[in-house]
Amino acid sequence: MAVVLTAIIAVFIIAWFICFAGQSGITFNGRLGTFITGKRTCQGEGVSRKDIVYIFVLALIFRIAVYIASVVYLNIFSDETTFGFSDFLSAWNRWDAPHYIDLAKKGYEGYVENGQHLFLVFFPLYPWLLRALHVVIRDWEIACLVLSCLAYAAGACFFYALVSEEYGKRIAWKSLVLLSVYPFSFFFGGMMTESLFLCTMMAGFYFVKKHNWLATGLTGILCSLCRVQGVLLFGVAGVEFFVYYKPFKMFKEKEGKEFIKLLFTKGICLFLIPVGNLIYFYINYRVEKNPFQFSVYQKEHWYHGTTYFTNALSEIWGYAFGESTQNTMAASVWVPELVLFAVTVILLFYGLRRHPLKYTAFLLVYTIVNYSVTFLISGGRYMSCAFPLFIILGEMLDRHPKLYNMVVAVSSMLFAIYMAGYFSWKQIM
């Protein structure tokens, strides 16, 4: 299986780089030239301020509806005689959520367990913003939910604007619906970093689309302060930079100096993106005198070591169909991760010629990074931020309305099921 999977990914990578070379200014003739050109037929549309306000309000209403649904579930499956607002807050404050709150309260140096700073594994942007919001909202749990809801709503606006300008409003709407009803997207309203990472990454992609390189770099700092995968925006922006300015063509036409000038006046802004990761490494160094101490704790305490992605998939397969694996773990964690990987690979090949290279590049690398750790128990949650999945799927299903409605219906049902499992303390984290 490892050889086959590696070969499949290798074929995609080779095809992607051929397309990248062609779109960066290298001329290909014949069938190869036709392959590189692709089959995009969608027409982009600009969005108005009214559109953005509408999406923002609708996103907040959707999150409130999800909270109301959680209250209904918690009461149906409770034998208690009372239910208060504190019970609602406690229901959302589980798994990683208490750690983010304690980091906001105590800081990295003050949050110690068993004499160790185990929570260096969490990136700082979410607890920093939570601490700032706590100045206004004095209850930590309420502040968490407000932060996540606002970040999700802002992320939805950037997502909609980006997709609309690439494909038009109809596909933008369908893609946003698919993102919102993804089976693990209830985490966007939780006390975790999903919504904030989505927001910063979508803002970064939007500025990349606008070729506003300084805004991309500044947004990228926030993105890479939110999660380690945030640095992928650097590669995405680099891909767009080359495709937009076509350096191979410029050098061929004796305009190499002009490209070098662009690289050092505009492209230099992109090197701001990894600053967020450097700040995170500095926090590790300041607290433990080791800039990579987080990786030690991930392996020793959280059981997450790095590995080749096929090894991780083999491990997931073994857990999913092992005789000793409980049904709850197979259905909650392992089988969804296998299905998600398979769907992602299919959509990657479908999207290679029909979608801008920056989307397939991000989706491939983001997926491989997520599936390159041992004991991957949060793959479903992590893939909620693999937003090109929903763009590519939205574009594909736009031509098949009945299939689109079916996918939305099935995904919505799974959303409800997995959220119910989350509140029942199943291994959905």
Side-chain angles (χ1 to χ4, degrees):
M1 184 177 74
V3 174
V4 173
L5 285 173
T6 300
I8 291 172
I9 297 300
V11 168
F12 176 84
I13 292 173
I14 291 170
W16 187 93
F17 271 104
I18 291 173
C19 291
F20 176 66
Q23 294 183 30
S24 299
I26 294 180
T27 303
F28 295 94
N29 298 316
R31 293 183 179 179
L32 192 56
T34 303
F35 174 80
I36 292 167
T37 303
K39 296 181 178 179
R40 292 190 66 205
T41 58
C42 300
Q43 186 67 37
E45 297 178 76
V47 294
S48 65
R49 183 176 297 178
K50 183 179 179 180
D51 293 328
I52 295 303
V53 172
Y54 176 74
I55 294 298
F56 186 87
V57 172
L58 207 61
L60 288 181
I61 292 174
F62 179 73
R63 291 262 64 89
I64 293 171
V66 172
Y67 291 144
I68 293 173
S70 71
V71 170
V72 173
Y73 170 84
L74 291 167
N75 278 278
I76 289 175
F77 290 91
S78 174
D79 294 326
E80 301 296 327
T81 57
T82 60
F83 185 87
F85 189 62
S86 60
D87 299 305
F88 162 75
L89 294 175
S90 297
W92 283 92
N93 187 7
R94 61 185 61 196
W95 301 123
D96 289 344
H99 303 316
Y100 284 111
I101 293 175
D102 280 333
L103 278 174
K105 289 180 181 179
K106 306 172 185 177
Y108 284 98
E109 293 182 347
Y111 191 15
V112 178
E113 185 174 295
N114 299 326
Q116 297 176 303
H117 298 94
L118 299 175
F119 306 99
L120 281 169
V121 299
F122 295 102
F123 271 60
L125 185 61
Y126 191 86
W128 285 353
L129 292 180
L130 179 59
R131 188 180 185 90
L133 188 59
H134 183 253
V135 174
V136 179
I137 302 175
R138 301 305 297 173
D139 185 283
W140 289 102
E141 293 175 322
I142 296 176
C144 269
L145 295 184
V146 170
L147 175 58
S148 292
C149 283
L150 291 177
Y152 170 76
C157 291
F158 279 115
F159 180 90
Y160 181 83
L162 172 70
V163 182
S164 181
E165 293 193 11
E166 291 276 19
Y167 307 93
K169 293 181 180 179
R170 189 179 68 248
I171 292 178
W173 173 254
K174 289 184 176 180
S175 300
L176 182 58
V177 170
L178 291 168
L179 169 70
S180 300
V181 300
Y182 168 71
F184 296 93
S185 67
F186 61 87
F187 279 108
F188 286 134
M191 302 178 187
M192 299 185 194
T193 62
E194 269 58 46
S195 57
L196 187 59
F197 182 66
L198 178 75
C199 179
T200 54
M201 182 59 74
M202 294 318 309
F205 264 82
Y206 180 77
F207 292 128
V208 167
K209 167 66 178 172
K210 290 294 189 180
H211 304 131
N212 187 334
W213 309 116
L214 177 58
T216 299
L218 294 174
T219 305
I221 295 175
L222 299 178
C223 198
S224 57
L225 273 171
C226 189
R227 192 178 285 179
V228 66
Q229 295 94 332
V231 76
L232 297 181
L233 188 62
F234 179 81
V236 167
V239 168
E240 183 70 9
F241 192 88
F242 272 67
V243 169
Y244 182 67
Y245 292 112
K246 302 187 184 304
F248 299 117
K249 182 179 179 181
M250 292 182 72
F251 277 102
K252 184 179 180 179
E253 296 176 354
K254 311 299 182 183
E255 296 179 354
K257 290 183 179 180
E258 181 64 23
F259 178 74
I260 298 299
K261 181 180 178 181
L262 288 170
L263 200 59
F264 282 93
T265 55
K266 297 179 181 293
I268 195 71
C269 297
L270 305 184
F271 286 89
L272 290 170
I273 296 172
V275 169
N277 291 112
L278 295 176
I279 293 172
Y280 175 64
F281 296 152
Y282 172 72
I283 292 172
N284 277 259
Y285 176 78
R286 187 188 67 192
V287 174
E288 289 278 0
K289 304 305 179 185
N290 177 7
F292 305 107
Q293 184 63 33
F294 68 94
S295 63
V296 176
Y297 289 143
Q298 280 181 332
K299 185 175 182 180
E300 294 181 352
H301 183 77
W302 305 93
Y303 309 110
H304 292 320
T306 56
T307 186
Y308 190 55
F309 78 97
T310 60
N311 295 334
L313 286 168
S314 295
E315 182 183 57
I316 293 169
W317 181 278
Y319 283 132
F321 302 105
E323 294 182 358
S324 61
T325 300
Q326 294 178 324
N327 291 339
T328 180
M329 283 296 293
S332 299
V333 179
W334 311 123
V335 172
E337 289 178 349
L338 292 174
V339 172
L340 280 169
F341 188 86
V343 170
T344 299
V345 172
I346 292 170
L347 291 178
L348 276 170
F349 277 94
Y350 169 83
L352 179 60
R353 298 175 63 217
R354 303 185 67 96
H355 295 263
L357 293 176
K358 58 181 178 282
Y359 296 128
T360 48
F362 175 81
L363 181 56
L364 173 67
V365 179
Y366 181 79
T367 303
I368 294 299
V369 169
N370 285 332
Y371 280 82
S372 295
V373 298
T374 57
F375 199 56
L376 178 63
I377 56 175
S378 300
R381 172 163 66 94
Y382 295 157
M383 292 301 285
S384 63
C385 292
F387 72 92
L389 270 177
F390 310 104
I391 297 176
I392 298 172
L393 190 59
E395 182 272 330
M396 182 179 73
L397 295 178
D398 181 59
R399 291 175 286 109
H400 307 282
K402 291 183 179 180
L403 183 58
Y404 166 77
N405 292 334
M406 183 183 298
V407 170
V408 170
V410 172
S411 188
S412 298
M413 287 188 289
L414 290 173
F415 178 107
I417 291 170
Y418 280 105
M419 188 172 74
Y422 173 78
F423 289 118
S424 298
W425 287 103
K426 301 303 180 182
Q427 300 301 304
I428 301 169
M429 60 183 71

